[in-house]
Amino acid sequence: MSFLTLRVIAAFLVTAAVFFGSNSISAAPQAGQASGAPAVTKVEPPNWWVRLTPDLMILVSGHGLQATKVACNLPDVLVLRTEATQGGEYLFVWLKFGPQLRSGTAVCRATTPTGEASFELPIAARLPTAQRFHGLNSDDVIYLIMPDRFSNGDPTNDEPAEFLGSHDRTKPRAWHGGDLKGVRDHISYLKELGVTTVWLTPVVKNGATQDYHGYGAVDLYAVDPHLGSLDDYKGLVSDLHKQRMKLFFDAVPNHVGPKHPWVAKPPMADWFHGTADKHLDSYSPIKNSFYGQGAEAPVKNDPFEALVDSHATPAMRQNLTDGWFLGILPDLNTENPVVAKYLLQNSIWWIESAGLDGLRVDTFPYVSRTFWQQWHAGLRRLYPNLTTIGEVFHPAPVVTSFFVGGQKGWDGIDTGLSTVFDFPLFFAIRDVLLHSAPVGRIANVLRQDELYSHPDWLVPFFANHDVPRMISEPGSSPEKLLSALALVLTLRGIPELYYGDEIGVTGGGDPDNRHDFPGGWPGDAQNAFTQAGRTAEQQRILAATQKLLKLRREHAALRTGKLFHLFSDDGAYIFLRQTDDERIVVVFNNGNARRELLIPQSNTPASNAVRTSLLYGDAVATTNGK
Ligand SMILES: [Ca+2]
Ligand SMILES: [Ca+2]
């Protein structure tokens, strides 16, 4: 039997403020376009693939597009029907593909009362799927990067011509110049660190000067020019795949940015839930006191209780699912089948374009479960192994598990979602390490694992881009950071780490938790990507992180072993992970002094162990088989 041990020096009370990290930005109306001869300005999707789907819906933007007839030149591209909206500023074209379809470019002509306009749809053969669309399992470790803040691989794209004034590294809410090439340039750093999967915050084109975070989309079919091009994105995935690593795309079907052209001119009257002038706010009307919570209790998480409650009225849920997030972000009407089709095709387009292994799904509970069921069914028909991880920002497993697929909720709906980020464990780890909460809180989260169809796919984490850096919380320390790291890397699931925590990057709440990675920019005072450039403290934290990741790689029990509680009280938690070949015990002491604990071995998976060897840490263990 091996023995692995962790220690923590001290614990103090702090308050963690957690909130979602999008910025407030106001809608700007688009200039009106005179009608006249028809013209096409945009085609969505811009291209497609042979034998991927039997049909396709195209959204053509422009003006004068009141087509009386649309026909395409390829014999196996059949126009089923069309619909012009907004006085001819949008034209929907539903295509059906014949069985003989070959790769090529379909040229489609729209005839209108004032003339003719054409658009092209390149249709390509699919790339081999063997090395793509694999999905994740507990052998993987996710590393979250906000690409604007990681590394500037291409200074020429720091301030694209259409976004003058957007770049300023001295301003925490401005674009800083990091990009896809910067991530690509540091794949060897990630490989040496020991993570397997990169999750990038959204790379789609954003519209406001403060949208460096990516959550204010204005074009769902383009890479933001600050970050690079679609070819840069495909190249990043290709380079990661060559290293047997994976890429996650951050999908946001709930909303777009206020500057999206649709907000001023929606393609359909009910494209959004409400309008820029009149809409609900996503904050629930449910007061804390409704479910017996203290009315004065600080709000630390999103209010999803009414969604889970089979007794709630539709009125109690509507603000959550139909309201504009933060009262600002335009909420897509995912009950409109045309919107749903657009969003499914958009996800397929990104997955197919880049060979993605999965999607992180933003603001999951804010979208109807019927939409998720259909969206996942559409994705799984093509990519059965794809992993989707939902963001459900809530501390209760009974709430987070409600949104995971593989099981039906009270509404009879299986959302199809692979798994969720383990926010209950996140809250427990932070409360234990930072607020002196009883360590038993960790076992209390784990005992509820059977609420999930696949607890082994849960994503334990202690930090992301929406919460203050662990190391900078009041009362925190490098030892607390390392304890949090060790817990998420040894408990069950697919762990997620947040860029920079491996070297102890500091920072408070958003946007202070999104500092530039030191050394990511030419001329940076230090380069923490290299050992020579790291401070002694950064090197110490990095070496410990690498060591823990290496142990996880080398010991299947830490990845796939069954987890047993051996001991739990206010100050310590001891668990064992077991496979057929090994047993590893993890000892977590949240006190500032050594403890001696006597753990009965009888009738536990440790029952006949007579020898231990230390894998990590500085505890001493002796066993006598009893
Ligand atoms: Ca750049
Ligand atoms: Ca919504």
Side-chain angles (χ1 to χ4, degrees), residues 465-606:
H465 55 312
D466 290 329
V467 299
R469 291 277 185 183
M470 178 86 191
I471 201 169
S472 296
E473 291 277 40
S476 189
S477 65
E479 278 59 45
K480 292 192 180 215
L481 172 73
L482 287 174
S483 292
L485 253 165
L487 283 167
V488 302
L489 290 175
T490 55
L491 290 167
R492 84 284 182 267
I494 308 167
E496 174 250 292
L497 309 180
Y498 182 42
Y499 85 95
D501 278 339
E502 74 274 17
I503 54 163
V505 166
T506 58
D510 167 17
D512 197 43
N513 52 0
R514 302 160 178 189
H515 289 177
D516 300 343
F517 194 100
W521 275 249
D524 275 1
Q526 67 153 153
N527 181 3
F529 284 116
T530 66
Q531 184 166 349
R534 287 190 275 271
T535 65
E537 184 70 346
Q538 287 172 336
Q539 181 59 31
R540 182 174 79 88
I541 297 170
L542 185 103
T545 309
Q546 273 178 322
K547 170 80 175 171
L548 285 162
L549 283 160
K550 185 162 178 279
L551 284 173
R552 185 181 170 85
R553 251 190 336 272
E554 291 173 349
H555 294 274
L558 292 177
R559 305 190 306 272
T560 61
K562 183 165 169 51
L563 189 153
F564 291 91
H565 309 303
L566 290 188
F567 178 88
S568 176
D569 71 1
D570 285 357
Y573 175 53
I574 303 178
F575 59 101
L576 181 148
R577 303 227 30 208
Q578 180 187 38
T579 61
D580 290 345
D581 300 324
E582 61 182 342
R583 287 171 289 176
I584 296 183
V585 173
V586 182
V587 180
F588 169 56
N589 174 15
N590 197 38
N592 56 7
R594 281 188 179 268
R595 279 182 82 178
E596 187 173 292
L597 295 169
L598 277 176
I599 314 294
Q601 290 177 250
S602 171
N603 210 16
T604 76

Side-chain angles (χ1 to χ4, degrees), residues 296-315:
E296 304 304 317
V299 177
K300 290 175 68 181
N301 56 273
D302 292 356
F304 301 138
E305 285 80 359
L307 298 173
V308 173
D309 182 353
S310 63
H311 307 292
T313 62

Side-chain angles (χ1 to χ4, degrees), residues 430-474:
R430 289 230 170 185
D431 286 348
V432 164
L433 282 167
L434 301 171
H435 306 173
S436 300
V439 177
R441 285 271 307 279
I442 293 171
N444 191 50
V445 171
L446 296 168
R447 78 176 166 82
Q448 299 170 78
D449 275 2
E450 291 316 300
L451 291 169
Y452 300 95
S453 52
H454 269 287
D456 52 322
W457 292 350
L458 281 164
V459 180
F461 70 102
F462 65 90
N464 68 20
H465 55 312
D466 290 329
V467 299
R469 291 277 185 183
M470 178 86 191
I471 201 169
S472 296
E473 291 277 40

Side-chain angles (χ1 to χ4, degrees), residues 151-159 167 176-179 225-227 521:
S151 170
N152 188 0
D154 179 5
T156 68
N157 63 16
D158 290 357
E159 189 160 280
H167 173 257
H176 286 191
D179 47 39
H226 294 90
L227 303 180
W521 275 249

Side-chain angles (χ1 to χ4, degrees), residues 39 55 103 128 142 150 164 256 481 556 592 608:
D55 53 31
S103 56
I142 302 168
F150 190 62
L164 292 180
V256 293
L481 172 73
N592 56 7
N608 56 356

Side-chain angles (χ1 to χ4, degrees), residues 249-486:
F249 180 87
D250 200 326
V252 193
N254 183 59
H255 53 256
V256 293
K259 293 199 166 193
H260 196 296
W262 291 340
V263 181
K265 288 179 187 168
M268 290 179 160
D270 61 348
W271 195 254
F272 293 107
H273 290 129
T275 65
D277 295 330
K278 191 170 187 294
H279 54 257
L280 300 174
D281 187 313
S282 69
Y283 280 100
S284 169
I286 310 301
K287 293 192 173 74
N288 276 351
S289 58
F290 192 94
Y291 292 112
Q293 308 285 328
E296 304 304 317
V299 177
K300 290 175 68 181
N301 56 273
D302 292 356
F304 301 138
E305 285 80 359
L307 298 173
V308 173
D309 182 353
S310 63
H311 307 292
T313 62
M316 288 170 72
R317 301 188 193 106
Q318 194 182 9
N319 279 15
L320 283 162
T321 55
D322 297 5
W324 289 27
F325 195 76
L326 304 171
I328 294 163
L329 295 170
D331 200 69
L332 287 161
N333 178 9
T334 44
E335 286 68 66
N336 179 336
V338 180
V339 174
K341 179 109 176 155
Y342 178 97
L343 291 170
L344 172 61
Q345 289 184 170
N346 182 250
S347 298
I348 292 171
W349 186 85
W350 282 102
I351 296 165
E352 188 68 26
S353 291
L356 295 173
D357 301 287
L359 307 172
R360 176 263 184 182
V361 193
D362 191 67
T363 43
F364 194 83
Y366 294 91
V367 181
S368 83
R369 290 162 59 83
T370 308
F371 170 84
W372 290 129
Q373 183 176 40
Q374 292 166 357
W375 183 78
H376 275 107
L379 293 181
R380 301 247 188 265
R381 268 195 292 276
L382 302 173
Y383 314 107
N385 299 321
L386 191 85
T387 299
T388 55
I389 307 175
E391 179 202 30
V392 184
F393 203 138
H394 200 283
V398 71
V399 172
T400 50
S401 63
F402 176 69
F403 297 96
V404 179
Q407 56 202 10
K408 288 179 181 171
W410 59 263
D411 50 7
I413 293 173
D414 177 338
T415 63
L417 182 70
S418 307
T419 190
V420 286
F421 292 98
D422 197 346
F423 273 95
L425 193 62
F426 159 83
F427 282 104
I429 288 174
R430 289 230 170 185
D431 286 348
V432 164
L433 282 167
L434 301 171
H435 306 173
S436 300
V439 177
R441 285 271 307 279
I442 293 171
N444 191 50
V445 171
L446 296 168
R447 78 176 166 82
Q448 299 170 78
D449 275 2
E450 291 316 300
L451 291 169
Y452 300 95
S453 52
H454 269 287
D456 52 322
W457 292 350
L458 281 164
V459 180
F461 70 102
F462 65 90
N464 68 20
H465 55 312
D466 290 329
V467 299
R469 291 277 185 183
M470 178 86 191
I471 201 169
S472 296
E473 291 277 40
S476 189
S477 65
E479 278 59 45
K480 292 192 180 215
L481 172 73
L482 287 174
S483 292
L485 253 165

